[in-house]
Amino acid sequence: MQDVTITSFAPGLADDAVWDAYYALRRLYHDEAAEDIYFRSSAEMRDDLSQVTWFLDQRRWIAQRNDEVIGYLFAAAVLPACSSYNERRHIVEADLYVTPGQRRRGVARRMLGVLRDFMEENCATVATMRSSVAQGQAFLRALGAEEKMRDIRSRLVLARLDWDMVFAWRDGLRRALPGCTMMIHAGRVPESEWMALMPAINAGLRDIPVGELDGPCLELTAEIWRDWYIQFDRRGVEHHMIVLHDTSGVVAGVTDVEWSPREPGRVGQILTAVRRDVRGRGLARGIKAAMLLHIRNHFPAVTELVTSSPLGNEPMLAINHRLGFTNVETSVIYQIGRDVLP
């Protein structure tokens, strides 16, 4: 192990040879996981990873043997500027990968020591890590990490969709919530609407089942939304949202998606949420159906919709099943205490 070095890695500052080696490792990681996710070009990935998120302390490290990059570590912790800092300051999100030929040689454990140091620096006590492959899951369990939840990634092929059912679900909204109105924001949600929408969005995010996961989700604020749109503008991403209001003008439900020119044939679902007091009326499936019709009209070249849902979110999983979504990947999310790390 003396010939292995672990160093801090800044994508925007790395020389081209080191970047190319890192990019090759990321390709290995992507292919091994068989992820149904677009693999970014070298230029796209380097630009994306060079961005700074003002509310997160994000760092990367690489493990090298000679000129070969054989492993990488990513870790992120919330900064005091984040509104969710007090609730999430003890949590670090982390990702770790070692190339197949270099496993069982202590490389991963050395990198976990770097993670432990990062956690100590940020006064964090719990690390969250995920894996969609059996070998990664076995490694995390062997470390002493505990499974907290499962996340299901699924795909809907629009050509197989029962559009008559979709129209019926959409048309059922007015019967389920008499006097309701629907607003479609295509491309961007105007900033003037954010303050009215954020309470409903944050309530929906808090209600998503997270199993036994420690730590709440990040609260959406105007500052985070603004930063989100800066990154969308940089990549040419469109954000589309449908908002359902009741007769009093109060938000009853929201659903939103994103479209990227990197994947012109695919739209990604972000959130579908309905206010607690009007649940059980078919509003979630109604606004989701309205979004599907909007996608068909606005993006004629789009052929599929992808989404992720926690295993415990049975109502949403049932809607997705009725629509014809098929599961393509299940990720297991683990958490491990800092004192357990090697």
Side-chain angles (χ1 to χ4, degrees):
M1 286 299 295
Q2 292 182 352
D3 59 340
V4 174
T5 59
I6 298 174
T7 56
S8 179
F9 178 68
L13 300 176
D15 65 49
D16 289 345
V18 174
W19 169 259
D20 289 343
Y22 171 82
Y23 185 72
L25 176 140
R26 291 296 298 265
R27 166 63 80 176
L28 277 175
Y29 187 10
H30 179 274
D31 292 348
E32 185 177 356
E35 294 177 343
D36 182 49
I37 298 173
Y38 169 74
F39 186 71
R40 292 168 287 183
S41 71
S42 176
E44 289 169 342
M45 183 181 291
R46 192 167 194 173
D47 187 43
D48 289 348
L49 299 189
S50 298
Q51 303 304 309
V52 176
T53 303
W54 59 267
F55 56 89
L56 293 175
D57 179 3
Q58 298 182 103
R59 299 190 217 170
R60 294 174 176 84
W61 298 263
I62 54 173
Q64 291 175 279
R65 173 172 280 119
N66 300 322
D67 293 329
E68 181 186 5
V69 176
I70 61 173
Y72 93 94
L73 170 67
F74 167 79
V78 292
L79 291 169
C82 180
S83 63
S84 302
Y85 177 72
N86 288 335
E87 294 79 18
R88 290 194 57 85
R89 61 186 300 180
H90 67 294
I91 301 288
V92 160
E93 304 284 341
D95 191 26
L96 172 70
Y97 180 74
V98 175
T99 56
Q102 301 296 330
R103 292 173 188 166
R104 300 183 182 278
R105 298 185 180 186
V107 178
R109 289 184 175 272
R110 278 190 58 188
M111 299 191 85
L112 288 169
V114 175
L115 174 61
R116 184 186 61 243
D117 292 343
F118 175 81
M119 294 174 69
E120 289 177 352
E121 181 182 340
N122 281 276
C123 299
T125 56
V126 177
T128 302
M129 307 177 78
R130 68 166 59 212
S131 178
S132 61
V133 296
Q135 192 170 9
Q137 294 163 10
F139 172 75
L140 289 170
R141 288 195 301 270
L143 281 177
E146 298 180 358
E147 178 179 332
K148 297 295 183 176
M149 65 173 285
R150 296 192 173 217
D151 193 56
I152 299 172
R153 181 175 171 82
S154 55
R155 177 176 59 209
L156 174 66
V157 178
L158 299 186
R160 302 173 188 165
L161 193 51
D162 181 349
W163 288 103
D164 289 339
M165 180 181 71
V166 172
F167 275 105
W169 284 8
R170 192 274 312 271
D171 295 342
L173 283 171
R174 300 193 187 282
R175 293 189 299 273
L177 192 64
C180 67
T181 57
M182 191 164 57
M183 173 69 72
I184 299 176
H185 298 291
R188 288 289 183 272
V189 179
E191 189 166 345
S192 59
E193 301 288 328
W194 294 358
M195 294 306 295
L197 291 170
M198 285 188 294
I201 293 171
N202 283 320
L205 291 171
R206 287 192 295 270
D207 282 348
I208 295 175
V210 292
E212 300 177 3
L213 205 61
D214 181 12
C217 64
L218 281 175
E219 180 183 61
L220 179 63
T221 63
E223 292 77 16
I224 290 178
W225 200 327
R226 196 170 295 117
D227 183 73
W228 193 31
Y229 274 1
I230 289 171
Q231 298 306 319
F232 274 15
D233 289 342
R234 181 178 58 82
R235 305 197 314 270
V237 174
E238 294 186 22
H239 180 219
H240 294 248
M241 179 179 287
I242 291 179
V243 184
L244 187 70
H245 295 91
D246 63 19
T247 53
S248 301
V250 178
V251 176
V254 296
T255 187
D256 63 336
V257 300
E258 63 177 351
W259 173 87
S260 170
R262 295 179 180 178
E263 296 183 272
R266 173 180 283 187
V267 163
Q269 179 82 58
I270 301 174
L271 175 70
T272 299
V274 171
R275 205 175 68 216
R276 285 185 178 184
D277 64 306
V278 289
R279 290 177 187 169
R281 306 186 189 187
L283 299 184
R285 72 181 190 183
I287 57 176
K288 194 151 186 168
M291 180 59 81
L292 284 166
L293 292 168
H294 172 70
I295 291 169
R296 187 169 77 162
N297 293 332
H298 196 86
F299 297 109
V302 165
T303 60
E304 62 183 32
L305 175 69
V306 292
T307 189
S308 293
S309 300
L311 186 60
N313 194 356
E314 300 306 331
M316 190 55 61
L317 291 172
I319 292 172
N320 290 346
H321 179 73
R322 286 284 305 279
L323 286 169
F325 278 87
T326 56
N327 297 345
V328 295
E329 180 184 89
T330 299
S331 293
V332 183
I333 294 89
Y334 297 86
Q335 288 186 318
I336 185 169
R338 186 181 72 198
D339 58 342
V340 180
L341 290 173

